[in-house]
Amino acid sequence: MPTGKTVRIKVKTASAIYEGDILIPAMRKRVSDVLNDEEKQFINLTDVEIKGKAGEIQKASFVSINKVLIEAIYEEDS
């Protein structure tokens, strides 16, 4: 099982807003470290709530988002 800390974030794309947990690996410290990892093209979220442009809400246990599609990321306050 991967080790690290879990952080709740909101990810805005052109089509939806995803709110979910991202795992920050032990060798990283911040969400931006995960985003700047050039070896990975996607970020993975778990326990996700997806809010579409029309206001519909879906839930998913796992979502993988292409980093090229991300417009903004908001970290939830702890």
Side-chain angles (χ1 to χ4, degrees):
M1 177 139 214
T3 60
K5 70 177 180 175
T6 302
V7 176
R8 191 81 177 165
I9 63 172
K10 288 184 182 177
V11 179
K12 182 180 181 292
T13 67
S15 60
I17 296 176
Y18 302 82
E19 182 176 345
D21 297 326
I22 187 170
L23 178 68
I24 310 297
M27 67 262 194
R28 309 278 189 210
K29 296 191 186 304
R30 302 172 303 228
V31 172
S32 61
D33 293 335
V34 174
L35 291 172
N36 291 327
D37 184 349
E38 294 178 359
E39 293 179 9
K40 302 204 182 237
Q41 185 176 356
F42 292 83
I43 63 166
N44 300 317
L45 301 179
T46 56
D47 189 24
V48 186
E49 185 175 274
I50 306 162
K51 297 177 186 173
K53 290 292 182 184
E56 71 280 9
I57 296 176
Q58 294 179 311
K59 294 198 181 252
S61 58
F62 173 83
V63 173
S64 190
I65 303 170
N66 190 318
K67 292 193 283 187
V68 173
L69 301 176
I70 296 172
E71 294 178 352
I73 291 184
Y74 310 89
E75 188 172 336
E76 293 288 311
D77 294 330
S78 338

